Amino acid sequence: NAGVMQNPRHLVRRRGQEARLRCSPMKGHSHVYWYRQLPEEGLKFMVYLQKENIIDESGMPKERFSAEFPKEGPSILRIQQVVRGDSAAYFCASSPPYWASYEQYFGPGTRLTVT
Amino acid sequence: DQQVKQNSPSLSVQEGRISILNCDYTNSMFDYFLWYKKYPAEGPTFLISISSIKDKNEDGRFTVFLNKSAKHLSLHIVPSQPGDSAVYFCAASDGGATNKLIFGTGTLLAVQP
């Protein structure tokens, strides 16, 4: 049973470009969370999605960031017009419905570097 | 406002001894707590969890203790092994409709052979 998959593992973008980060949840999981880890900090919640629905985006910056989890295919975190402060590790986690389990299972992360 | 705090950035322990990692929280609405282990350049790996209705949960070498009145939890690793060397994150959930996790800043555990 494959774990949570994220790609790319490393992404380098110049300031002003767009970054697209992909996440495929574990088989049987329909809930996806995105977290960001800045250097020397813990993980910070960004957004929670179910298929075709954004449930909670309270941790997402209001501008330039968006997320989706379409009916078919991976979840996408999109960052437009990246700035140096966006450089971080972005982790995706998946879980069964929360009423079944509180545990979230994380992918290996995408390390975004903005030059 | 840091709702989950891990005040020790690092801890060094001899192989075979006990490792005790601590975590404090401020939000009394948190009802589920989890510990994750993270190696460099990898994602966090789930270790063990505890519901707020319990005060202890054990899984092999790992035991988590919860003191609700003190808003404090700890992870005990016995015996510690060199492969346990990693960053350990404490996380909390308020069990609400989203189950988003609030993480501490992590403790780097080094187990010396």
Side-chain angles (χ1 to χ4, degrees), chain A residues 9-58:
Chain A
R9 294 291 306 273
H10 300 275
L11 183 61
V12 179
R13 285 286 177 265
R14 285 199 284 271
R15 278 180 296 172
Q17 291 185 318
E18 178 179 291
R20 280 187 179 234
L21 289 62
R22 293 175 184 77
C23 169
S24 296
M26 284 179 72
K27 188 175 179 180
H29 287 186
S30 56
H31 297 233
V32 166
Y33 300 79
W34 285 92
Y35 293 83
R36 175 166 68 173
Q37 185 183 23
L38 295 170
E40 308 301 324
E41 294 187 13
L43 283 75
K44 296 278 198 298
F45 168 79
M46 298 181 75
V47 62
Y48 163 47
L49 310 103
Q50 297 176 22
K51 286 282 187 182
E52 299 184 279
N53 281 303
I54 297 174
I55 308 301
D56 181 354
E57 55 183 347
S58 60

Side-chain angles (χ1 to χ4, degrees), chain B residues 38-75:
Chain B
K38 186 179 180 305
Y39 294 117
E42 293 186 13
T45 302
F46 170 72
L47 265 180
I48 192 169
S49 60
I50 188 167
S51 164
S52 61
I53 62 173
K54 295 187 175 182
D55 54 19
K56 178 182 173 182
N57 188 27
E58 193 171 353
D59 184 1
R61 296 187 297 116
F62 302 92
T63 302
V64 56
F65 295 92
L66 175 62
N67 182 335
K68 281 184 66 178
S69 60
K71 294 192 178 69
H72 177 83
L73 64 155
S74 61
L75 174 68

Side-chain angles (χ1 to χ4, degrees), chain A residues 13 17 27 44 55 63 66 68 70 73 91 95 105-106 109:
Chain A
R13 285 286 177 265
Q17 291 185 318
K27 188 175 179 180
K44 296 278 198 298
I55 308 301
E63 297 179 352
S66 62
E68 63 177 12
F91 294 98
S95 76
Y105 298 88
F106 284 80

